[in-house]
Amino acid sequence: MASSVNLSEFSNRPVALVTGASRGIGRGIAERLAQDGYAVAINYVRSQSVAEELAAILQQTSGDGWALQADVGSVSQANTLVDRILARWGRLDVLVNNAGITSVGRADLLDASEAGWDTVFATNLKGPFFLTQRVCREMIRLRADGVLNGGTIVNISSISSFAVSVNRGDYCLTKSALSTMTKLFAVRMAEHDVYVYEVSPGVIRSDMTAPVQAKYDALIEDGLSPIRRWGEPSDVAQAVSSLVARAFPFCTGQCLNIDGGFHIRRL
Ligand code: NAP
């Protein structure tokens, strides 16, 4: 059967790649960017059926979606992901480095394993670094070809980039490094009109936090953040949407804290 994809329609539609978009925060971002008019590449690693279900929803509603399997921790798979997007849509305007995993087994610092470290670092840091490197090269080329005016890259870090948890040391280190990575690429890419941002979520309702829901319910009630509620994926998506829309045009390398005020030191 002929594809229902109308390539001429896509040629003018901006394209966003959201890694880890099958569930949680990434899914919220994908839904929001589709509403904003983007064709969205919905990356996932295992959850094929939910990713394809989201793609179908986006196809039927405001935007367009395409579910793409790739382990972002593998540089070759990440490169193939970009190849496939460019082959289909011919452009890539936005990259949201959202895919991430928590510390494997949440082991105490003194028990943390090398294997766990390697897994978390591959997914949360090495993957975003090399995916960003590849996408930046493509954005420079696409801009030189007159396809793009510029681009936007958003890294989803965490309050764990500055608030330490001794049972998730490797996770904290990856998120801390992601903050620095944001500044590095922001400086390198500004001359190409590619702006790079960090969005740092607080406690957000998702599968990642589901196992520790009771703990966070109690902490939030006790005033963990000045705004005493769980964050929702839509809170993070709203921030990404505003950055991608160039709501702050004289701004790159900036971090938006979407954490109910958690980051404010208090006496
Ligand atoms: P989540 O509900 O566990 O969802 C994780 C997503 O990442 C899924 O779509 C998953 O795909 C994907 N993923 C995992 N490993 C991947 C890999 N190697 N390659 C490609 N995709 C991969 O997590 P979340 O809570 O939405 O977290 C999203 C991001 O926000 C993470 O970077 C996390 O560190 C950060 N964050 C979360 C919170 C929070 O409170 N939830 C707070 C601060 C920061 P599959 O469905 O295929 O497994």
Side-chain angles (χ1 to χ4, degrees):
M1 198 174 111
S3 164
S4 59
V5 173
N6 177 350
L7 286 172
S8 62
E9 183 187 326
F10 290 127
S11 59
N12 292 324
R13 191 195 287 267
V15 174
L17 164 58
V18 183
T19 66
S22 45
R23 298 182 282 119
I25 293 170
R27 187 180 178 102
I29 295 168
E31 289 169 343
R32 179 57 196 259
L33 293 183
Q35 282 169 22
D36 292 346
Y38 284 82
V40 183
I42 301 158
N43 162 247
Y44 67 96
V45 65
R46 275 174 294 271
S47 303
Q48 182 178 1
S49 59
V50 286
E52 287 179 349
E53 178 192 87
L54 175 61
I57 292 168
L58 298 191
Q59 297 254 6
Q60 285 159 18
T61 53
S62 48
D64 181 42
W66 185 25
L68 290 142
Q69 197 275 341
D71 177 351
V72 296
S74 155
V75 176
S76 66
Q77 289 188 36
N79 277 324
T80 303
L81 176 66
V82 176
D83 290 342
R84 293 179 70 196
I85 292 166
L86 293 174
R88 172 158 168 171
W89 283 320
R91 61 190 290 166
L92 184 52
D93 303 67
V94 169
L95 166 64
V96 183
N97 282 308
N98 165 80
I101 55 172
T102 192
S103 193
V104 180
R106 296 183 184 241
D108 180 81
L109 274 188
L110 304 187
D111 301 318
S113 70
E114 181 182 0
W117 168 286
D118 288 343
T119 304
V120 173
F121 267 74
T123 307
N124 295 8
L125 186 62
K126 185 182 91 171
F129 181 90
F130 287 103
L131 183 56
T132 300
Q133 180 193 66
R134 169 70 196 278
V135 168
C136 284
R137 288 178 181 153
E138 298 297 344
M139 285 176 168
I140 291 170
R141 181 182 61 77
L142 290 165
R143 188 163 165 270
D145 291 348
V147 178
L148 300 185
N149 292 323
T152 310
I153 294 167
V154 182
N155 297 318
I156 306 299
S157 64
S158 170
I159 52 175
S160 296
S161 66
F162 59 89
V164 300
S165 303
V166 294
N167 65 337
R168 293 184 298 135
D170 43 16
Y171 180 81
C172 295
L173 287 162
T174 61
K175 294 300 183 177
S176 174
L178 208 52
S179 301
T180 302
M181 191 186 110
T182 301
K183 297 184 183 83
L184 285 165
F185 279 100
V187 169
R188 181 65 182 83
M189 293 303 292
E191 69 181 288
H192 301 290
D193 283 332
V194 174
Y195 297 166
V196 186
Y197 303 103
E198 172 185 358
V199 169
S200 177
V203 179
I204 309 292
R205 202 183 303 280
S206 76
D207 291 346
M208 184 181 278
T209 45
V212 284
Q213 179 171 349
K215 173 187 163 185
Y216 282 123
D217 279 344
L219 288 171
I220 290 167
E221 189 156 330
D222 277 357
L224 178 75
S225 52
I227 300 175
R228 294 190 188 197
R229 70 163 172 87
W230 280 76
E232 302 294 337
S234 58
D235 291 309
V236 182
Q238 171 79 34
V240 173
S241 172
S242 64
L243 291 168
V244 161
R246 290 278 162 102
F248 313 104
F250 192 45
C251 171
T252 188
Q254 183 63 269
C255 173
L256 273 188
N257 296 296
I258 307 299
D259 63 357
F262 174 92
H263 65 282
I264 306 165
R265 296 188 76 173
R266 287 173 281 171
L267 274 175

